[in-house]
Amino acid sequence: MTAVPADGTAAEDVAVHRDLTDVDAERWDALFGARGFYTTSPWLRHAQATAATPPYYFTAVEDGEPVAALPAYPLEPDTPYVFCSPGRVVASIHERLTGQAADWAGALMPALACGGRNPSHTKAGVRAGLPPERQHALVRRLVATAEDEAWRAGLAAVSFLYVDEDDALLRQVLESREYTVLPGQTAYSLEVPADGDFGSYLARFPSRHRVKIRKEVRVLAEAGVTYRTQPLTEELIERIAPLETALYAKHGTPADAGAFLAVLRSVAAHAGAAARVTTAHLDGETVGFVLTFTHGGQMYARQGGFDYTAKGRLPLYFGLVYYELLRLAMAEGFTHIHYSTGSDAVKLSRGCTPVRQFAYVKARREDLSQRLAGLAV
């Protein structure tokens, strides 16, 4: 066994909490900037309420003020949050690179998943305006303390699975702490035209593609498709949950309808102020939805679903998830819509910008560290 100790004085500078109510949410949230919603208090409340084991909230404090922060989640081998599980993610990376199964990856569990429980953007927060060397030292203390807690709890690994390529600070810290860097996913964001003009969005595309988008918008309008944006209520939850089940069924993925209902109800209860649902309607029926969050002048598309029988061949997905959300974002002055990972070709075809990501993992056992090294970028 190879234990990796934390920096000597890290724990003295970092407060460790296991309940979000012990954290000053407003000050915590102020430490996270762009792409940071899933590390802020609305999402953290939902994530804590649905966690099997209490999360960690690491906060570096100076003169009584929080100056850096990091959420982290102990995950068991059977965690339902498989895209945040280093065992599952490393196994997927291994299979992608080698074409073979990685039976050994399961030994990375249980683990501490740091930087947000969401397959999107893994973040550590730090006060803006501090000198770069000070920011580095603060985030390094957070990471060292997280490792200390993980080893003390007997966990097998610590992970930061969706670190953006342009997050130089966190990447430098993790590499200085000897994390293995693995090839990760690609996340996508759509920049919203600052002038609020849909024509400015269209101007980004070649003429042939502009014609295609205009046709899709026209076809939806002629079919009588309308949209509505509203809070996530119980009545709405019961109406849209079957649409998400239908989406999973279409793609051949097993789905638990009860689990979908539970997640939506938790989001409504704990992150409702940041959550909205935009629905698509045809002939008086709800035929599609997308759940979004708004935070810091940006929008985050989370999950959705459709009535595939009712929509037929209509380009409802594009109309709802891209064109209507873009209209809302322009009307409300948002700067970006974040679409997370996956569906690469589709997101690129609608003007999204890719952000390459890396998965950082540190194993406690030396043999696992060596196996990880064989996958390193």
Short mmCIF file of all heavy atoms in Angstrom, two decimals, residues 26-50:
data_model
loop_
_atom_site.label_atom_id
_atom_site.label_comp_id
_atom_site.label_asym_id
_atom_site.label_seq_id
_atom_site.Cartn_x
_atom_site.Cartn_y
_atom_site.Cartn_z
N GLU A 26 -23.23 31.92 0.12
CA GLU A 26 -23.00 33.06 -0.75
C GLU A 26 -21.51 33.27 -1.00
O GLU A 26 -21.08 33.51 -2.14
CB GLU A 26 -23.62 34.32 -0.15
CG GLU A 26 -23.51 35.54 -1.04
CD GLU A 26 -24.22 36.76 -0.46
OE1 GLU A 26 -24.91 36.62 0.57
OE2 GLU A 26 -24.08 37.84 -1.05
N ARG A 27 -20.72 33.19 0.06
CA ARG A 27 -19.27 33.37 -0.10
C ARG A 27 -18.65 32.20 -0.85
O ARG A 27 -17.72 32.38 -1.64
CB ARG A 27 -18.62 33.54 1.27
CG ARG A 27 -18.99 34.85 1.96
CD ARG A 27 -18.32 34.97 3.31
NE ARG A 27 -18.57 36.27 3.92
CZ ARG A 27 -18.13 36.62 5.12
NH1 ARG A 27 -17.39 35.77 5.83
NH2 ARG A 27 -18.40 37.81 5.61
N TRP A 28 -19.13 31.00 -0.59
CA TRP A 28 -18.65 29.82 -1.33
C TRP A 28 -18.91 30.01 -2.81
O TRP A 28 -18.01 29.85 -3.64
CB TRP A 28 -19.36 28.57 -0.80
CG TRP A 28 -19.12 27.32 -1.58
CD1 TRP A 28 -19.60 27.01 -2.82
CD2 TRP A 28 -18.34 26.18 -1.18
NE1 TRP A 28 -19.18 25.76 -3.21
CE2 TRP A 28 -18.40 25.24 -2.23
CE3 TRP A 28 -17.60 25.88 -0.03
CZ2 TRP A 28 -17.76 23.99 -2.16
CZ3 TRP A 28 -16.95 24.65 0.03
CH2 TRP A 28 -17.02 23.73 -1.03
N ASP A 29 -20.15 30.34 -3.18
CA ASP A 29 -20.51 30.46 -4.59
C ASP A 29 -19.68 31.50 -5.32
O ASP A 29 -19.37 31.36 -6.52
CB ASP A 29 -22.00 30.81 -4.73
CG ASP A 29 -22.91 29.68 -4.29
OD1 ASP A 29 -22.40 28.56 -4.03
OD2 ASP A 29 -24.13 29.91 -4.19
N ALA A 30 -19.30 32.56 -4.61
CA ALA A 30 -18.54 33.65 -5.23
C ALA A 30 -17.15 33.21 -5.68
O ALA A 30 -16.51 33.90 -6.48
CB ALA A 30 -18.42 34.82 -4.26
N LEU A 31 -16.69 32.04 -5.20
CA LEU A 31 -15.35 31.57 -5.55
C LEU A 31 -15.33 30.80 -6.87
O LEU A 31 -14.25 30.50 -7.38
CB LEU A 31 -14.81 30.67 -4.43
CG LEU A 31 -14.67 31.33 -3.06
CD1 LEU A 31 -14.30 30.29 -2.00
CD2 LEU A 31 -13.61 32.43 -3.10
N PHE A 32 -16.51 30.49 -7.42
CA PHE A 32 -16.58 29.70 -8.64
C PHE A 32 -17.10 30.56 -9.79
O PHE A 32 -18.15 31.20 -9.68
CB PHE A 32 -17.51 28.50 -8.44
CG PHE A 32 -16.98 27.51 -7.45
CD1 PHE A 32 -17.29 27.61 -6.10
CD2 PHE A 32 -16.13 26.49 -7.86
CE1 PHE A 32 -16.80 26.70 -5.18
CE2 PHE A 32 -15.63 25.57 -6.94
CZ PHE A 32 -15.96 25.69 -5.60
N GLY A 33 -16.37 30.57 -10.88
CA GLY A 33 -16.73 31.41 -12.02
C GLY A 33 -17.39 30.63 -13.13
O GLY A 33 -18.26 29.79 -12.89
N ALA A 34 -16.99 30.91 -14.37
CA ALA A 34 -17.59 30.31 -15.55
C ALA A 34 -17.52 28.79 -15.50
O ALA A 34 -16.55 28.21 -15.02
CB ALA A 34 -16.89 30.82 -16.80
N ARG A 35 -18.59 28.14 -15.98
CA ARG A 35 -18.74 26.68 -16.02
C ARG A 35 -18.79 26.07 -14.62
O ARG A 35 -18.60 24.86 -14.44
CB ARG A 35 -17.61 26.02 -16.81
CG ARG A 35 -17.37 26.58 -18.20
CD ARG A 35 -16.16 25.91 -18.85
NE ARG A 35 -15.68 26.67 -20.00
CZ ARG A 35 -14.41 26.68 -20.39
NH1 ARG A 35 -13.49 25.99 -19.74
NH2 ARG A 35 -14.04 27.39 -21.45
N GLY A 36 -19.06 26.87 -13.61
CA GLY A 36 -18.94 26.40 -12.24
C GLY A 36 -20.23 26.06 -11.52
O GLY A 36 -20.20 25.81 -10.32
N PHE A 37 -21.36 26.02 -12.22
CA PHE A 37 -22.63 25.83 -11.52
C PHE A 37 -22.65 24.58 -10.65
O PHE A 37 -23.17 24.60 -9.52
CB PHE A 37 -23.81 25.76 -12.51
CG PHE A 37 -25.09 25.34 -11.85
CD1 PHE A 37 -25.78 26.22 -11.04
CD2 PHE A 37 -25.59 24.05 -12.00
CE1 PHE A 37 -26.95 25.83 -10.39
CE2 PHE A 37 -26.75 23.66 -11.37
CZ PHE A 37 -27.44 24.55 -10.56
N TYR A 38 -22.11 23.48 -11.14
CA TYR A 38 -22.25 22.21 -10.42
C TYR A 38 -21.34 22.12 -9.19
O TYR A 38 -21.30 21.08 -8.53
CB TYR A 38 -21.99 21.04 -11.37
CG TYR A 38 -23.07 20.96 -12.44
CD1 TYR A 38 -22.81 21.34 -13.75
CD2 TYR A 38 -24.36 20.53 -12.13
CE1 TYR A 38 -23.80 21.29 -14.72
CE2 TYR A 38 -25.35 20.47 -13.08
CZ TYR A 38 -25.07 20.86 -14.39
OH TYR A 38 -26.05 20.82 -15.35
N THR A 39 -20.65 23.20 -8.88
CA THR A 39 -19.90 23.29 -7.62
C THR A 39 -20.46 24.38 -6.72
O THR A 39 -19.83 24.74 -5.72
CB THR A 39 -18.41 23.57 -7.91
OG1 THR A 39 -18.30 24.59 -8.89
CG2 THR A 39 -17.71 22.32 -8.40
N THR A 40 -21.63 24.91 -7.05
CA THR A 40 -22.24 25.96 -6.24
C THR A 40 -23.45 25.43 -5.47
O THR A 40 -23.95 24.35 -5.74
CB THR A 40 -22.63 27.17 -7.11
OG1 THR A 40 -23.56 26.75 -8.13
CG2 THR A 40 -21.41 27.79 -7.76
N SER A 41 -23.91 26.24 -4.54
CA SER A 41 -24.85 25.77 -3.52
C SER A 41 -26.17 25.21 -4.05
O SER A 41 -26.68 24.24 -3.46
CB SER A 41 -25.11 26.87 -2.50
OG SER A 41 -25.62 28.04 -3.10
N PRO A 42 -26.79 25.75 -5.12
CA PRO A 42 -28.05 25.13 -5.55
C PRO A 42 -27.87 23.65 -5.91
O PRO A 42 -28.65 22.80 -5.46
CB PRO A 42 -28.45 25.97 -6.77
CG PRO A 42 -27.79 27.29 -6.56
CD PRO A 42 -26.48 26.97 -5.90
N TRP A 43 -26.85 23.35 -6.71
CA TRP A 43 -26.62 21.95 -7.07
C TRP A 43 -26.09 21.15 -5.89
O TRP A 43 -26.46 19.98 -5.71
CB TRP A 43 -25.65 21.87 -8.24
CG TRP A 43 -25.40 20.45 -8.67
CD1 TRP A 43 -24.32 19.68 -8.39
CD2 TRP A 43 -26.29 19.63 -9.44
NE1 TRP A 43 -24.47 18.42 -8.94
CE2 TRP A 43 -25.67 18.37 -9.59
CE3 TRP A 43 -27.55 19.84 -10.01
CZ2 TRP A 43 -26.26 17.33 -10.30
CZ3 TRP A 43 -28.14 18.80 -10.71
CH2 TRP A 43 -27.51 17.56 -10.85
N LEU A 44 -25.24 21.76 -5.05
CA LEU A 44 -24.69 21.04 -3.91
C LEU A 44 -25.78 20.59 -2.94
O LEU A 44 -25.68 19.52 -2.34
CB LEU A 44 -23.67 21.91 -3.17
CG LEU A 44 -22.40 22.30 -3.95
CD1 LEU A 44 -21.49 23.15 -3.07
CD2 LEU A 44 -21.66 21.08 -4.45
N ARG A 45 -26.83 21.41 -2.78
CA ARG A 45 -27.93 21.00 -1.90
C ARG A 45 -28.60 19.73 -2.44
O ARG A 45 -28.91 18.81 -1.68
CB ARG A 45 -28.94 22.13 -1.76
CG ARG A 45 -28.49 23.27 -0.88
CD ARG A 45 -29.64 24.22 -0.55
NE ARG A 45 -30.11 24.92 -1.72
CZ ARG A 45 -29.64 26.10 -2.14
NH1 ARG A 45 -28.67 26.71 -1.47
NH2 ARG A 45 -30.14 26.70 -3.21
N HIS A 46 -28.84 19.71 -3.75
CA HIS A 46 -29.43 18.51 -4.37
C HIS A 46 -28.48 17.32 -4.24
O HIS A 46 -28.90 16.21 -3.88
CB HIS A 46 -29.73 18.79 -5.84
CG HIS A 46 -29.87 17.56 -6.68
ND1 HIS A 46 -30.90 16.67 -6.53
CD2 HIS A 46 -29.07 17.06 -7.67
CE1 HIS A 46 -30.76 15.67 -7.40
NE2 HIS A 46 -29.66 15.88 -8.09
N ALA A 47 -27.20 17.53 -4.53
CA ALA A 47 -26.24 16.44 -4.48
C ALA A 47 -26.10 15.88 -3.07
O ALA A 47 -25.98 14.66 -2.88
CB ALA A 47 -24.89 16.92 -5.01
N GLN A 48 -26.14 16.75 -2.06
CA GLN A 48 -26.06 16.27 -0.68
C GLN A 48 -27.30 15.46 -0.31
O GLN A 48 -27.20 14.41 0.34
CB GLN A 48 -25.90 17.44 0.29
CG GLN A 48 -25.88 17.02 1.75
CD GLN A 48 -25.52 18.16 2.69
OE1 GLN A 48 -24.39 18.66 2.69
NE2 GLN A 48 -26.49 18.60 3.48
N ALA A 49 -28.46 15.93 -0.74
CA ALA A 49 -29.70 15.24 -0.40
C ALA A 49 -29.79 13.85 -1.03
O ALA A 49 -30.50 12.98 -0.52
CB ALA A 49 -30.90 16.08 -0.84
N THR A 50 -29.07 13.64 -2.11
CA THR A 50 -29.13 12.35 -2.81
C THR A 50 -27.85 11.55 -2.66
O THR A 50 -27.64 10.57 -3.38
CB THR A 50 -29.41 12.59 -4.30
OG1 THR A 50 -28.45 13.53 -4.83
CG2 THR A 50 -30.82 13.15 -4.52
#
